[in-house]
Amino acid sequence: WTQAYEKYENNKIADTMKIVSNLLLLLSLSTGVTVSEAGGCPFSNTGDDVPCDSTHGHLRSRRLASLSEDKETRERLAAIIAEQKRSLQSTDCIATETYNNLREILSAMAGAIADDGDRGHFIGGVVRLAAHDFMDFDQNAGSLGEERGGSDGCIDFDHPANAGLSRLWCDDADLCPLKALYDDVFSVAMSRADFWVMCATGVIQNAAPTPINIPVRWGRVDRASCPTSSSRIPEPTGCEANQAAFIDRMGLTWTDAVALLGAHSLGGGHAEFSGHPGTWVDNDIESTVFDKRFYTELMTRGWRPRFLPGVPDNDWTWGGNNRGVMMLNTDICLFFDINQDVNCCTNIGENCNNNTLQDIQCRTNAQVHPEAHDAVHWFANGNRNNNRAFFEAFPIAWEKATENGHGTLNELSESGCDVLGEPSASPSFLDEECLTTDIYENLRVALSDMVSSITNDGDRGHFIGGIVRLAAHDFMDFDQNADSLGQEIGGSDGCIDFNHAANAGLPRLWCDDPVLCPFKALYDGLYNRAMSRADYWVASATLLIENAAPSQFNLPFQWGRTDSPSCPTSSSRLPEPTGCDAVEDAFITRMGITWTDAVALLGAHTLGGGHAEFSGHPGTWVDSDLESTLFDKRFYTELLNRGWRPRFPAGVPDNDWTWGGNNRGVMMLNSDICLSFDIDQSVDCCTNTNQDCRNNTIQNVPCADANSIRPEAHAAVQNFASGNGNDNAAFFDAFRTAWTAATTNGHGTLNNLVDDAADCPNPFAPSSTPSLSSVPTILTTRDPDCVTSETYQNLRDSLDAMVTAIVDDGDRGHFIGGIVRLAAHDFMDFD
């Protein structure tokens, strides 16, 4: 985390990580402050170049020595502050919206970390914080006269078992923004234990490629101390440690334990802290995703001990000793019998990178721990993206682990609670019936400047295509039948689940880092004062399409869309690239547009391209990177004229097509090819046998056309591709109709731009113009209209208790006098 922070500091991006600490009221007293270490002398006007003579030096070392040196005094003060926090915490209500706001803030914090490995460490660290809090639960402790533990907000951060967690939970708001977020916002609503569990639950849900439903409840009580806690955390020695911690003490099943250990897919180990460097999965980007990859890696790789047998906390790798992948003994033992300290390879069919062990197959633990063995096999089962078994088992195990020892906890409330962590309300002029043509055209210029600043054709195409995709993925979740199902209608509502696999890559365009995501910074810093997020996405995509057209092309734009705070069913409605059945479901059945409209909208694939890391479909739809920056009919002429053939064998559901070698940078999806050709039967064929399909087996196997099964789509492709090379008239006319229908679906009557600026208030007046580095503020519970006498009296009582806690008279006097001086130095500058 320190390395990540320094990297941000060096790149002048550290302000992004200060979203919480720079905008919120920080606590005025921290229990860990060592006053004697402060810079400068205590009675100087400034901390620089002060006369540190012997008198000042004595005063400096003497001042509030109790806070610096007396642990008992600091603990008494900490207890007073903790009690005040508890008295402010709501005892009868935490809103679902508060939890959702916390999830959004955590997503923004993770998104601000550009390095995949550092982001994985942050996400995994949050989960580890909650897990090390609940893994000390002992159902037998009551009979032993010890505390039972569990999720109680208490961790011994100095214990080796918790090494590294103090880099996540400390009193430095810059280095530990998670704790600053709790101290300054959420501590008034929930205990520390509830916050840790909710944060871990939130980052897990955010990191899951498909929705995972995990119950969220509150009401845990924080403990002030937990002396036996760390001794109960399982050492990574093997399944005897798992048995003792998860089964014997926590009272879970082996299936539960295996499910919880699947969270190792997030983050990784560190040589400095655990002594086990590396991620459990194949690379840093995978360590940011919560899925079943832990189990598939465990079963399929050729793992072998990194060190000699007999080392109690050995670990395993399938690369060289220094390769960044590892499994602990406590992981390997879930599926293999390694209790005899035998050097072996878990899968001799793979390269174990050790000639001595290559032919020594580890035995499975089917006889030793059959339930654990079966659970690993069950969770890993199915295709790569099928997490169903794991996602069913994990919430059960997580609920047991996080609620152990707490009796009945409280459900989140849908109404009647104060909401915390909520972004500030939109500026009032968003309610005005006015958006000018000048503002719209200024946005065109700003976007054009951004595009022009990107010198690489491929990157420029990705940027343009990415913004069009952002708007399209917002409107493609419209469902005209949703009302009857009791669901949200969707459409262009400024709401996308950026953590869903269908939207992979879009967080690289819409994130809270102004350097990495200038398009969002432009909105946050300027245009959020003029339009909703939904309007901004549609306007930007519309303008970029117009700018990318080789000839005059005008698209209508109207404004007035309202942003939706959540869209739980959104991503499930986006069409998978499997074929025209998916196109029909999304565009025809749900969106209510025609096949001609659908074919026209898919013509926007001419912009940008696919990416192997995100969609798994690398390449542009057109012939070159330069062509991917142009909006014209080239998508249709490429579809008809090239000799497209499947890149992979027939039957792959999300196959794609190419007319080059497998690695050539051109492709079409099944959902593109099917518009003109009949590929529903998964037949290997060539779309144009007069062209080189680069595959001798199917060079003479023509694909049947789709005229008989999708005549309207087939005819639309032919129509849009017709005419000479520069004649885009048919395509442009159809696209205008389709784009208007898609971007206005579900919004009723929208508003036209106003030509005369004098008729509108100026949202960018100098008194209210923010900078591009502006970030949304977060509401606290402070009431600007009311402070009660009781609040003042409570403050007096707290101060009196703090003063009493300082046993040394001199220190107590310094404390009282220091507070008076603080106020006095604030008012004495009046002139």
Side-chain angles (χ1 to χ4, degrees):
W1 181 254
T2 301
Q3 291 172 348
Y5 173 74
E6 290 172 352
K7 185 181 299 183
Y8 275 84
E9 185 68 43
N10 292 337
N11 288 285
K12 303 302 181 185
I13 310 176
D15 285 345
T16 307
M17 295 309 298
K18 299 177 183 177
I19 289 173
V20 178
S21 61
N22 285 354
L23 293 175
L24 303 175
L25 179 65
L26 294 176
L27 292 176
S28 60
L29 181 63
S30 172
T31 60
V33 170
T34 305
V35 177
S36 63
E37 295 176 357
C41 292
F43 298 133
S44 62
N45 292 327
T46 143
D48 300 319
D49 301 324
V50 297
C52 288
D53 53 34
S54 58
T55 301
H56 281 85
H58 168 72
L59 289 171
R60 181 183 179 190
S61 63
R62 179 72 183 84
R63 191 167 200 191
L64 292 182
S66 293
L67 289 182
S68 305
E69 302 163 7
D70 185 357
K71 182 180 179 182
E72 291 183 359
T73 298
R74 293 201 305 271
E75 289 177 348
R76 283 194 295 271
L77 291 172
I80 293 167
I81 294 171
E83 180 58 34
Q84 283 297 299
K85 285 184 179 179
R86 281 194 292 272
S87 70
L88 290 171
Q89 287 168 357
S90 170
T91 58
D92 56 2
C93 200
I94 293 182
T96 300
E97 192 172 354
T98 292
Y99 173 68
N100 290 336
N101 289 337
L102 175 58
R103 277 189 64 182
E104 290 182 12
I105 294 170
L106 291 167
S107 178
M109 293 171 75
I113 305 172
D115 183 86
D116 295 328
D118 292 336
R119 191 165 62 254
H121 275 300
F122 174 74
I123 298 170
V126 174
V127 176
R128 181 174 173 236
L129 183 68
H132 279 222
D133 189 25
F134 69 59
M135 284 199 298
D136 67 351
F137 179 77
D138 188 348
Q139 61 185 348
N140 311 303
S143 60
L144 303 175
E146 299 175 347
E147 77 276 2
R148 299 181 76 188
S151 292
D152 54 12
C154 189
I155 284 178
D156 178 2
F157 289 98
D158 295 324
H159 195 281
N162 299 315
L165 288 178
S166 59
R167 300 287 182 91
L168 185 72
W169 196 262
C170 67
D171 289 321
D172 186 322
D174 291 341
L175 294 179
C176 298
L178 184 74
K179 185 173 186 296
L181 179 65
Y182 177 71
D183 288 342
D184 302 314
V185 182
F186 290 94
S187 63
V188 300
M190 61 187 73
S191 66
R192 187 169 55 247
D194 282 338
F195 182 73
W196 290 353
V197 170
M198 288 191 190
C199 284
T201 305
V203 296
I204 287 171
Q205 290 182 315
N206 289 347
T210 55
I212 177 172
N213 296 316
I214 304 176
V216 178
R217 300 184 181 93
W218 63 276
R220 299 166 185 85
V221 178
D222 293 335
R223 289 182 65 89
S225 65
C226 43
T228 63
S229 167
S230 299
S231 63
R232 298 175 183 172
I233 304 295
E235 293 289 334
T237 52
C239 276
E240 288 184 358
N242 288 341
Q243 170 90 33
F246 293 104
I247 315 304
D248 298 340
R249 289 197 293 268
M250 292 178 64
L252 306 178
T253 67
W254 271 108
T255 300
D256 296 330
V258 173
L260 290 176
L261 287 169
H264 277 168
S265 65
L266 296 171
H270 195 287
E272 179 183 349
F273 303 132
S274 66
H276 302 283
T279 57
W280 281 265
V281 288
D282 188 25
N283 55 49
D284 286 343
I285 187 72
E286 289 182 3
S287 76
T288 67
V289 180
F290 183 78
D291 60 11
K292 69 175 184 180
R293 197 72 53 90
F294 169 81
Y295 308 106
T296 57
E297 292 287 310
L298 174 58
M299 290 182 61
T300 59
R301 298 291 186 188
W303 298 96
R304 48 93 181 166
R306 181 155 20 192
F307 308 111
L308 297 174
V311 177
D313 57 351
N314 205 348
D315 61 29
W316 298 59
T317 186
W318 56 265
N321 283 344
N322 296 318
R323 194 184 188 284
V325 290
M326 68 94 192
M327 288 264 176
L328 303 173
N329 280 350
T330 41
D331 304 311
I332 296 292
C333 71
L334 299 177
F335 198 73
F336 298 96
D337 182 6
I338 58 169
N339 288 337
Q340 305 306 313
D341 295 325
V342 175
N343 260 349
C344 57
C345 175
T346 62
N347 185 349
I348 60 175
E350 297 290 325
N351 186 3
C352 278
N353 285 296
N354 185 305
N355 292 334
T356 305
L357 306 179
Q358 185 62 58
D359 297 323
I360 304 176
Q361 174 68 50
C362 298
R363 293 174 298 177
T364 71
N365 69 351
Q367 301 299 318
V368 183
H369 297 296
E371 185 182 348
H373 175 277
D374 292 347
V376 173
H377 198 278
W378 179 37
F379 297 158
N381 195 32
N383 64 45
R384 176 174 179 171
N385 298 320
N386 181 3
N387 295 291
R388 184 179 59 81
F390 175 41
F391 281 11
E392 286 177 355
F394 184 86
I396 296 171
W398 186 257
E399 181 179 6
K400 292 178 185 177
T402 58
E403 297 186 6
N404 252 340
H406 286 289
T408 302
L409 293 176
N410 309 298
E411 303 290 340
L412 297 175
S413 177
E414 298 299 327
S415 61
C417 296
D418 292 334
V419 175
L420 297 181
E422 189 172 39
S424 59
S426 299
S428 60
F429 54 75
L430 285 180
D431 296 329
E432 299 287 344
E433 295 297 322
C434 211
L435 183 63
T436 67
T437 303
D438 283 347
I439 291 175
Y440 184 68
E441 288 302 321
N442 287 339
L443 177 58
R444 182 195 301 273
V445 173
L447 292 168
S448 180
D449 288 344
M450 284 186 182
V451 170
S452 299
S453 71
I454 305 172
T455 57
N456 181 276
D457 293 332
D459 292 338
R460 193 162 61 251
H462 274 300
F463 179 76
I464 299 170
I467 292 177
V468 174
R469 179 175 173 234
L470 182 68
H473 280 220
D474 189 25
F475 69 59
M476 283 199 298
D477 67 352
F478 179 77
D479 187 347
Q480 61 184 348
N481 311 302
D483 262 349
S484 62
L485 302 174
Q487 299 174 349
E488 76 275 5
I489 294 177
S492 293
D493 56 8
C495 188
I496 283 178
D497 179 1
F498 288 98
N499 295 306
H500 196 283
N503 298 314
L506 288 178
R508 300 287 180 92
L509 185 72
W510 194 261
C511 69
D512 288 321
D513 186 324
V515 176
L516 296 179
C517 297
F519 177 62
K520 185 174 186 292
L522 181 66
Y523 179 71
D524 290 340
L526 211 58
Y527 284 92
N528 67 348
R529 296 176 168 269
M531 61 185 76
S532 67
R533 188 170 54 246
D535 280 340
Y536 179 71
W537 290 353
V538 172
S540 298
T542 301
L543 290 166
L544 286 172
I545 288 170
E546 289 182 347
N547 289 351
S551 56
Q552 184 71 27
F553 181 37
N554 296 317
L555 289 170
F557 173 75
Q558 293 181 306
W559 65 277
R561 298 165 186 83
T562 303
D563 293 335
S564 175
S566 64
C567 43
T569 63
S570 167
S571 300
S572 63
R573 298 175 182 172
L574 297 181
E576 293 288 335
T578 52
C580 276
D581 285 346
V583 174
E584 183 170 7
D585 286 343
F587 291 99
I588 317 303
T589 305
R590 289 197 291 269
M591 290 178 63
I593 60 179
T594 68
W595 270 108
T596 300
D597 295 331
V599 174
L601 290 176
L602 288 170
H605 277 167
T606 186
L607 296 170
H611 195 288
E613 180 183 345
F614 303 132
S615 66
H617 302 284
T620 57
W621 280 265
V622 289
D623 189 25
S624 67
D625 287 342
L626 178 59
E627 289 180 2
S628 77
T629 67
L630 302 175
F631 184 80
D632 59 14
K633 68 176 183 181
R634 196 73 54 92
F635 169 82
Y636 308 104
T637 58
E638 290 288 307
L639 175 58
L640 293 178
N641 296 336
R642 298 291 185 186
W644 298 95
R645 49 96 182 162
R647 180 153 20 192
F648 307 110
V652 177
D654 57 351
N655 206 347
D656 59 30
W657 298 59
T658 186
W659 56 265
N662 282 346
N663 296 319
R664 193 183 188 286
V666 290
M667 67 95 191
M668 289 263 176
L669 303 172
N670 279 351
S671 45
D672 303 312
I673 297 291
C674 70
L675 300 177
S676 193
F677 299 95
D678 181 5
I679 58 168
D680 291 351
Q681 305 307 313
S682 301
V683 176
D684 270 353
C685 57
C686 176
T687 62
N688 187 343
T689 56
N690 294 322
Q691 299 293 317
D692 186 0
C693 277
R694 297 184 181 239
N695 185 307
N696 293 334
T697 304
I698 61 174
Q699 182 63 55
N700 297 315
V701 182
C703 299
D705 67 45
N707 186 48
S708 61
I709 56 174
R710 281 178 290 276
E712 185 181 348
H714 181 271
V717 173
Q718 300 287 332
N719 183 34
F720 300 159
S722 64
N724 64 50
N726 298 320
D727 181 4
N728 295 292
F731 171 44
F732 282 6
D733 287 345
F735 185 87
R736 184 181 295 109
T737 300
W739 184 257
T740 302
T743 58
T744 60
N745 252 340
H747 285 290
T749 302
L750 293 175
N751 309 298
N752 293 320
L753 296 172
V754 176
D755 291 329
D756 189 350
D759 294 337
C760 291
N762 180 12
F764 308 130
S767 62
S768 62
T769 302
S771 68
L772 285 183
S773 61
S774 296
V775 291
T777 57
I778 297 176
L779 295 180
T780 68
T781 55
R782 183 186 302 164
D783 185 342
D785 300 321
C786 189
V787 177
T788 67
S789 298
E790 187 177 1
T791 296
Y792 175 69
Q793 188 59 48
N794 288 339
L795 177 58
R796 282 193 63 178
D797 292 342
S798 297
L799 291 166
D800 185 56
M802 295 171 78
V803 168
T804 303
I806 304 174
V807 295
D808 183 271
D809 294 333
D811 289 335
R812 194 160 60 251
H814 276 302
F815 179 74
I816 299 170
I819 292 176
V820 175
R821 180 175 173 241
L822 181 68
H825 280 222
D826 188 30
F827 67 61
M828 285 196 298
D829 65 352
F830 179 77
D831 189 345

